[in-house]
Structure formats: C-alpha cells, structure tokens
Amino acid sequence: QVQLVESGGGLVQPGGSLRLSCATSGIRFDIYAMAWYRQAPGKQREFVANISSSGRRNYTDFVKGRFTISRDNAKNLVYLQMNSLKPEDTAVYYCYLRTNLDYWGQGTQVTVSA
C-alpha cells in the first residue's frame, strides 16, 4: 500500500524558513517523480514544485528562488526547503505522487505570520 506522510510544517514569521519532508512507502521510490502542492483557505490546490527521478526540478513562479525541492532515494524522502517565507505562503502543503494512480499525503500546515 502506497503511503505519503508529510511533516515539518508549523508557524513561522515572515522571512523565516521551514523544511518540509515527505516520507514514502509501498513504492519503488527512485523511479517516480515527486511533487509538492499547496492549498490556501478558500483557494484551489496549486502546484508548487516537482522533481523527476533523475533530479530535474521545476518550480512555479511564485516560489522560484525561495523554495528548493530535493530527494533522498536511499531514504525514500522528498523535501521542500522554504526560505524567505511570506504570509501568502500560508497553506496546507501536500506531497503528491503519480503512478497509474494519484497519491496524496494528508498535508502539513504552514502558517507565516508575525
């Protein structure tokens, strides 16, 4: 059974940093691309970043230069390092995997507030 479990969210002041982690199980992790999405209150879920099995990265424009996605294939983990956080980054952040099915984690809350 495929499972994705996010962690690392919390409350941070504007300009601060957080690192999110997504632990995966039940798949051969190293052959799949992984992604992070987020959903703010009252808004649709939106793409943040993804990383291919070979390590190629893509980011949405509003996080370029601030967020970094990475993966550790030995540990079946994907990370999202978030720097220079802004109040508009406040959202629930989700880990996403697509095989022949779509898999989502339960999400981790990130709140950026003074």
Side-chain angles (χ1 to χ4, degrees):
Q1 183 178 357
V2 178
Q3 286 191 316
L4 307 177
V5 180
E6 301 95 335
S7 62
L11 173 64
V12 63
Q13 292 186 341
S17 298
L18 283 174
R19 189 177 81 156
L20 306 183
S21 299
C22 173
T24 68
S25 60
I27 59 166
R28 186 180 160 187
F29 176 77
D30 61 325
I31 67 172
Y32 293 107
M34 298 294 300
W36 288 95
Y37 283 72
R38 70 186 187 187
Q39 188 167 18
K43 295 187 177 181
Q44 289 189 328
R45 194 170 296 189
E46 60 185 2
F47 170 79
V48 175
N50 64 12
I51 185 167
S52 72
S53 58
S54 62
R56 185 170 55 231
R57 301 170 172 88
N58 291 297
Y59 299 94
T60 191
D61 285 346
F62 50 77
V63 305
K64 282 182 181 177
R66 300 190 298 125
F67 292 10
T68 302
I69 188 171
S70 61
R71 64 191 297 157
D72 185 334
N73 288 340
K75 296 181 179 179
N76 290 2
L77 289 167
V78 61
Y79 303 102
L80 186 68
Q81 177 67 44
M82 306 186 295
N83 299 327
S84 302
L85 283 161
K86 305 175 181 180
E88 50 264 44
D89 294 318
T90 294
V92 177
Y93 283 72
Y94 296 91
C95 185
Y96 170 71
L97 161 70
R98 185 175 215 177
T99 60
N100 58 329
L101 297 173
D102 292 336
Y103 296 96
W104 295 92
Q106 83 288 351
T108 185
Q109 176 70 47
V110 172
T111 302
V112 185
S113 175

